[in-house]
Amino acid sequence: MRNDDKATGNTDARTGPSGRWGLRGAILALLAVAAGTVWFTNAWLTARFSESTRMRSELRSVLYTGNLLSELQRTSVVPLLLARDPTLIAALSGNNFSNSSARLISAQKEIGAASIRLLDASGRLVGSTDRNLLGRNYVQEPFFVEPLRSKDTVFSVSSNPQGAYEFTYSRAIVAEGRTLGVVIVAADLTPLVRSWAGISDAIAVSDSEGNIILSTEPRWRGLTLPEALSVRSAPSAISRAFQVTADWASAPVDAYVEGKAVMQTETRIPFRGWTMTSFTAYDSVRERVNAVLALVIMGFAILLAAVFYLLSRRARVESAAYMRESADLRALNMRLTREIAERERMQKELRVAEQTVQQSSKLAALGEMSAGVSHELNQPLAAMKTYLAGARLLLQRGRDEEALSSFQRIDDLVERMGAITRQLKSYARKGGEAFEPVDLRTALSSALVMMEPQLRSNTIRLQRNIPRYPVMVLCDRIRLEQIIINLLRNAIDAIKQSRDPAIEITVGSGSHAFLSVRDNGPGVSDLENLFEPFFTTKKPGEGTGLGLAISSGIAADFGGRLTAHNASDEGGRGAVFELELPLYDPERRTGSGMAAE
């Protein structure tokens, strides 16, 4: 054995220096081959992938052009159809435009246009999907003048005050040989631009004069292409389009923007001389090239690692290290097993604690419901006391009929108290079962009758702004009156110290029905906690702090909301409470019922 060891040691000694130099030469040669392979692969793949990216960009431009033309052609047919609409012709002939805007809004929903406007023969806007524009005059606008001259559908491009371009088709409405007006339909190209921005890096559409009229970047609109490319801005979709790794990765370069290379593709649009220009970054090219290069480098790295591994003489040390790591992993596995058991025990304890918290929450809810019923009964009790005192005085003076009227009101209050107690279940769950169409004006009148003694005793100046038309909502009438009474009571309490106490009540409708109660008191100091249960700014004994919390919950059950803010934000004084409720729509309700069946 000793002789064999000596022989082996002599062989290593003889071949050691030459073997080390041969190993180093092999490693250097392998590195040189790897560097040449990476350089050649990078150049070849960059050229191939750049051409592929350019072709995809051109195909996307052709697709975008087709979509744009399709949208414009689809919109161009609409003015011809609306110009023959009997409803619009009758409205222009009889100067009755009460239903014109509703008809245009209905047509807009069906065709998906950006907007539809109806002008009479004088250029005045008499119908529009945007009611805020009614009454304006467009007698000098091209989309009004040109249809009157050509008697055909006319396309025009105009800019709006926001800097965007509006693409409209307009056509004169002629009946019995007489021009009655002009209908204007604006094409909705916003979804197209939004889809371009989600797929392409940057897209710009220029008119025949070279001005950009459509772009994924709003700042480009109205500029020429050279002006747009010179715009410097903060990182955005444009900056992402121009960011590339290096010039060598994106050769050949079509254009430079802010010192960075981009690929530019131009497509002619067969419509009024328009042109679509797309800018594509080389990021995808670089990523694909890098992916292949990574595989190549990984292959050489694995080969080099295999050489080093085969020539390594520390296999036993590594094996021992692996054995130690295996022992450490077994110990770690045991610790994890113990931690899992401890976690399961803690989860069981957590479930028990959650059940306890739920039971406590139920008890707290019962207490809040009791206090809420007490708070709501205080209102009719206070009113009954006032009516009883008035009835006693009327009986003493021999005015029996007026006293009977007071007793009738007391009877109504007793009925109302019974209704309030019957609603105890509604405080324990969301929603109600007695929903019916209710006129918001009628509910306000009933609430004012209830609060009439308090309003008179405090000599409060009451201002009501109520429309003549019904404002219908779908809700529980009694619970709606509770909200209004709570708001009135809060307003009365807030203006007790005012020299000229006043309350302003406003009822109206738009997208929603709303009721506003405004006082001229000192306002609310803590708006964040205003609708929290048991929060009150009154003295002890004067309030439970549940009125607004209950009212907010009822409004939520009706699908609306109750908000508050100080009138100082609007240049006044006092507090403003606003109740918003969805408008009652019998057709929608009927339609949903049929769909359910």
Side-chain angles (χ1 to χ4, degrees):
M1 292 295 295
R2 285 193 297 269
N3 294 333
D4 293 338
D5 293 340
K6 289 179 180 179
T8 303
N10 293 333
T11 302
D12 292 341
R14 287 192 303 268
T15 61
S18 60
R20 287 195 296 269
W21 282 107
L23 178 61
R24 292 175 182 177
I27 293 175
L28 291 176
L30 181 61
L31 292 177
V33 172
T37 303
V38 169
W39 181 85
F40 175 80
T41 302
N42 175 76
W44 184 71
L45 291 179
T46 297
R48 292 291 301 274
F49 290 158
S50 297
E51 185 63 23
S52 175
T53 302
R54 186 182 299 275
M55 293 179 61
R56 287 199 303 270
S57 178
E58 292 175 353
L59 291 175
R60 282 199 302 267
S61 298
V62 173
L63 176 62
Y64 295 162
T65 300
N67 293 338
L68 179 60
L69 292 175
S70 176
E71 182 64 25
L72 292 174
Q73 292 173 359
R74 185 177 67 87
T75 308
S76 65
V77 183
V78 179
L80 178 60
L81 299 177
L82 294 179
R84 301 175 181 177
D85 192 298
T87 303
L88 300 181
I89 295 175
L92 292 172
S93 300
N95 289 328
N96 183 10
F97 309 105
S98 57
N99 297 324
S100 299
S101 297
R103 177 68 183 93
L104 296 181
I105 292 174
S106 176
Q108 180 193 25
K109 293 179 180 179
E110 294 175 359
I111 65 177
S115 65
I116 305 177
R117 286 167 285 182
L118 179 66
L119 306 181
D120 60 9
S122 63
R124 183 171 59 92
L125 187 64
V126 295
S128 174
T129 54
D130 186 1
R131 300 178 187 269
N132 296 325
L133 302 178
L134 292 177
R136 296 188 180 183
N137 196 289
Y138 299 93
V139 67
Q140 297 181 353
E141 295 295 333
F143 53 73
F144 175 75
V145 177
E146 295 180 6
L148 297 179
R149 296 175 178 174
S150 65
K151 304 298 183 181
D152 199 353
T153 302
V154 177
F155 177 81
S156 60
V157 180
S158 59
S159 60
N160 55 26
Q162 289 75 25
Y165 283 89
E166 187 178 37
F167 307 90
T168 58
Y169 284 94
S170 55
R171 187 182 182 91
I173 299 178
V174 181
E176 299 179 357
R178 186 167 57 96
T179 301
L180 302 178
V182 175
V183 61
I184 304 165
V185 181
D188 189 8
L189 303 182
T190 303
L192 288 179
V193 177
R194 190 180 298 113
S195 65
W196 297 347
I199 300 176
S200 301
D201 295 307
I203 297 290
V205 177
S206 305
D207 58 11
S208 58
E209 298 178 359
N211 296 321
I212 297 177
I213 56 177
L214 275 177
S215 176
T216 55
E217 286 299 313
R219 287 170 294 181
W220 281 15
R221 290 194 292 259
L223 304 176
T224 62
L225 191 59
E227 293 174 347
L229 295 178
S230 64
V231 172
R232 297 178 180 270
S233 60
S236 62
I238 301 304
S239 63
R240 291 195 299 271
F242 301 146
Q243 287 176 352
V244 292
T245 55
D247 289 346
W248 65 270
S250 57
V253 175
D254 293 335
Y256 283 91
V257 178
E258 298 184 358
K260 298 180 180 179
V262 294
M263 181 185 297
Q264 179 177 336
T265 303
E266 186 173 289
T267 304
R268 295 291 180 181
I269 302 176
F271 181 79
R272 301 176 68 90
W274 288 8
T275 304
M276 177 178 291
T277 305
S278 63
F279 298 91
T280 306
Y282 287 91
D283 294 342
S284 59
V285 175
R286 189 69 260 162
E287 291 173 358
R288 296 167 66 184
V289 172
N290 289 342
V292 178
L293 292 181
L295 293 177
V296 175
I297 295 173
M298 183 180 298
F300 282 104
I302 292 174
L303 180 60
L304 189 62
V307 172
F308 280 108
Y309 179 77
L310 294 175
L311 299 177
S312 176
R313 295 183 179 182
R314 299 186 299 176
R316 295 182 180 179
V317 176
E318 292 177 353
S319 178
Y322 293 152
M323 294 177 64
R324 289 194 298 269
E325 290 178 359
S326 178
D328 293 340
L329 288 175
R330 286 194 295 270
L332 179 60
N333 188 24
M334 295 178 63
R335 288 197 299 270
L336 289 176
T337 303
R338 290 194 296 268
E339 290 179 2
I340 291 173
E342 182 67 16
R343 184 179 296 273
E344 291 178 350
R345 184 184 63 82
M346 294 178 63
Q347 287 180 349
K348 293 180 180 179
E349 295 178 356
L350 180 59
R351 283 194 292 269
V352 175
E354 288 177 350
Q355 294 175 358
T356 305
V357 171
Q358 291 176 1
Q359 186 64 23
S360 300
S361 299
K362 292 180 181 179
L363 295 176
L366 289 176
E368 182 176 340
M369 290 161 54
S370 314
V373 172
S374 175
H375 174 81
E376 296 298 334
L377 291 179
N378 283 337
Q379 297 174 356
L381 286 174
M384 289 172 60
K385 184 177 180 181
T386 303
Y387 286 133
L388 284 174
R392 185 183 297 110
L393 183 60
L394 292 173
L395 289 175
Q396 291 175 357
R397 296 181 180 180
R399 298 160 64 180
D400 297 341
E401 294 183 359
E402 298 181 13
L404 289 175
S405 177
S406 298
F407 286 128
Q408 180 60 41
R409 292 183 178 180
I410 293 175
D411 183 67
D412 294 340
L413 291 173
V414 171
E415 178 63 24
R416 182 175 183 81
M417 293 172 64
I420 292 174
T421 57
R422 286 194 299 271
Q423 292 175 0
L424 182 59
K425 292 182 180 180
S426 67
Y427 293 119
R429 67 179 186 273
K430 286 191 173 182
E433 299 176 356
F435 279 30
E436 59 182 354
V438 179
D439 190 349
L440 192 56
R441 305 177 304 166
T442 305
L444 175 61
S445 300
S446 301
L448 289 175
V449 170
M450 175 83 67
M451 299 300 297
E452 182 179 358
Q454 289 87 335
L455 294 172
R456 287 185 177 180
S457 61
N458 293 278
T459 62
I460 297 173
R461 178 167 51 87
L462 184 63
Q463 179 180 354
R464 287 178 288 182
N465 303 319
I466 302 176
R468 296 182 179 178
Y469 55 86
V471 182
M472 304 301 296
V473 295
L474 185 65
C475 63
D476 186 346
R477 180 182 60 82
I478 295 178
R479 300 177 72 192
L480 176 59
E481 293 176 6
Q482 291 177 6
I483 298 177
I484 301 174
I485 290 174
N486 282 334
L487 297 181
L488 291 175
R489 288 198 61 190
N490 285 338
I492 293 173
D493 294 338
I495 60 178
K496 285 183 177 179
Q497 305 300 328
S498 299
R499 295 182 179 179
D500 183 18
I503 298 176
E504 180 181 355
I505 304 175
T506 304
V507 177
S509 64
S511 59
H512 290 73
F514 68 88
L515 181 142
S516 172
V517 178
R518 178 173 182 172
D519 60 69
N520 60 348
V524 181
S525 59
D526 190 354
L527 290 173
E528 294 183 358
N529 300 319
L530 186 60
F531 295 101
E532 294 295 331
F534 302 104
F535 173 79
T536 179
T537 58
K538 302 176 183 178
K539 297 179 180 179
E542 295 184 358
T544 61
L546 290 169
L548 292 178
I550 294 174
S551 300
S552 179
I554 295 175
D557 291 343
F558 293 163
R561 63 173 183 171
L562 179 61
T563 60
H565 65 274
N566 288 319
S568 58
D569 301 337
E570 305 172 358
R573 56 171 301 184
V576 181
F577 289 84
E578 294 182 351
L579 173 64
E580 292 186 8
L581 296 174
L583 287 170
Y584 170 65
D585 188 354
E587 296 181 359
R588 182 179 302 174
R589 189 183 183 192
T590 303
S592 61
M594 294 175 62
E597 294 177 358

